[in-house]
Amino acid sequence: MVVGSDSEAQLQAWLPLQSFTASVNTYFTLDQAVSALLLNEVDAVIDREHDLERFILTDQTRLMEQPLTVLPMSVMIRRQDINTRLLVNQTLQYLFVQGEIAKLYSTYLNGRSVPDDLILVWTGLPEQSPTPQGFGIGMDFPNEYPVQQIGTRPLRVAISVDTEQNEVSRRLSQSHQALAQSLATRLGVALEVISVDPSDLVGVVERQEADFALGVVPDWSLASRVELSVPYLLHGKRLLTTFRDDFQSFADLRGQWVGVFASEANAAQLAQELGQSVNATINVFTITREEDAAFEMLPYRDWE
């Protein structure tokens, strides 16, 4: 790496987090560092991607797919200008869904593909392009903020009651409680867990009966009622296929059978919607018991 560069500081912060050790050689210029790579004096060179791209040589050098570090960039807005922030966030999500962000990546970042998880798209994103007129000009602010009271009383955290009684929901509930305890411990305050029905997670915060609620799915219908934090957990569904099938995406399942668990609400509808999103017709089969999933996928069954 180049001595005194951003890469040097980033590597020093990154290395202690790894399970291996590495020796670091520094050079005055990037050209010297790359020359050392070609002469087998070092195993890799670290620098900004656009600077390294000019040293890509066929059959000699290549860029690793996984970046060492990433630098997120965001839009800066005046403090407490909540409506403008909501407008910007909704517009960015809309551009992401419509493929406009992907076009910008391809055009200005050397044909690079946009990361699938670059922008989290909230539930309830309108189909029409956002407009300034769709966001109010006023906003109600609290008379007092809970942060002023935290420390003089326990931190009140609302968590939905486990009603499904299955392993997935139990583990999810446990993770919420563990996070609540971690937050309280980090803040140096006692914790009061408030168990509520999932339908009342928003209401308990609006009524100021809890300082915040965990386990809320970001939804644009809530934007005018409560504030939503950055995501702390990604909870979703994955596809399980056999080694004998070379399925790479949902589009490869066109005309095939897809199994869903009876205990997973809306799973069948989600499978159909995913198929429609890639113009693929799929057939859905319901599995009553999760332990039967592997059996149902054996070769003599006629679904995938």
Side-chain angles (χ1 to χ4, degrees):
M1 70 177 64
V2 177
V3 63
S5 65
D6 294 341
S7 302
E8 184 175 15
Q10 293 172 1
L11 181 62
Q12 295 300 334
W14 179 79
L15 274 177
L17 303 177
Q18 309 309 310
S19 59
F20 58 85
T21 59
S23 59
V24 179
N25 294 351
T26 57
Y27 301 87
F28 289 111
T29 67
L30 185 56
D31 294 81
Q32 292 176 341
V34 174
S35 295
L37 175 67
L38 296 175
L39 294 173
N40 294 320
E41 296 176 1
V42 296
D43 298 309
V45 174
I46 299 173
D47 211 295
R48 294 178 183 270
E49 182 174 350
H50 68 270
D51 290 328
L52 292 175
E53 285 176 342
R54 63 188 178 94
F55 293 101
I56 296 178
L57 305 173
T58 304
D59 297 330
Q60 293 190 63
T61 59
R62 65 185 177 90
L63 288 176
M64 302 297 291
E65 290 295 329
Q66 183 177 359
L68 181 68
T69 60
V70 294
L71 178 64
M73 295 187 178
S74 60
V75 179
M76 183 169 61
I77 300 166
R78 187 177 57 181
R79 180 174 170 80
Q80 294 190 339
D81 191 351
I82 298 175
N83 290 315
T84 301
R85 172 167 54 83
L86 291 174
L87 172 62
V88 170
N89 285 341
Q90 190 174 104
T91 304
L92 287 173
Q93 292 180 31
Y94 180 82
L95 292 175
F96 184 72
V97 170
Q98 295 297 316
E100 293 298 322
I101 301 294
K103 293 178 182 178
L104 294 176
Y105 260 67
S106 178
T107 301
Y108 299 103
L109 298 178
N110 295 328
R112 175 176 295 277
S113 299
V114 61
D116 293 334
D117 57 353
L118 175 66
I119 296 179
L120 175 68
V121 179
W122 292 12
T123 300
L125 179 69
E127 295 183 0
Q128 301 299 321
S129 176
T131 62
Q133 292 74 24
F135 295 82
I137 60 174
M139 181 65 66
D140 294 330
F141 292 95
N143 295 326
E144 60 179 2
Y145 294 89
V147 69
Q148 299 170 326
Q149 302 175 12
I150 295 176
T152 62
R153 59 164 173 75
L155 178 67
R156 304 172 303 172
V157 180
I159 300 176
S160 62
V161 177
D162 176 19
T163 57
E164 297 185 19
Q165 295 299 318
N166 59 47
E167 182 62 22
V168 173
S169 60
R170 279 194 293 270
R171 284 187 296 172
L172 193 58
S173 178
Q174 291 170 358
S175 71
H176 293 328
Q177 295 191 43
L179 176 60
Q181 185 61 63
S182 296
L183 290 169
T185 300
R186 177 64 64 179
L187 296 174
V189 298
L191 172 66
E192 177 185 349
V193 174
I194 303 173
S195 299
V196 300
D197 186 86
S199 62
D200 197 33
L201 275 178
V202 177
V204 75
V205 172
E206 285 186 311
R207 297 190 300 270
Q208 301 182 35
E209 297 172 4
D211 298 316
F212 50 80
L214 297 181
V216 180
V217 177
D219 193 316
W220 280 108
S221 67
L222 304 177
S224 62
R225 300 173 57 188
V226 293
E227 288 289 338
L228 298 168
S229 74
V230 296
Y232 65 86
L233 181 101
L234 295 178
H235 181 244
K237 296 177 174 59
R238 301 289 296 272
L239 281 174
L240 174 69
T241 63
T242 61
F243 277 112
R244 63 186 171 84
D245 297 312
D246 188 26
F247 297 134
Q248 301 297 322
S249 69
F250 218 87
D252 297 330
L253 296 174
R254 183 175 284 106
Q256 303 292 336
W257 284 85
V258 175
V260 298
F261 295 123
S263 59
E264 292 289 337
N266 301 323
Q269 179 182 349
L270 176 61
Q272 295 287 6
E273 291 177 351
L274 286 172
Q276 294 172 5
S277 69
V278 292
N279 296 319
T281 300
I282 61 171
N283 305 292
V284 177
F285 179 87
T286 300
I287 307 172
T288 304
R289 301 191 311 165
E290 295 187 10
E291 54 266 33
D292 292 337
F295 168 77
E296 297 287 358
M297 295 179 67
L298 289 175
Y300 62 79
R301 299 292 295 187
D302 59 356
W303 63 281
E304 308 301 331

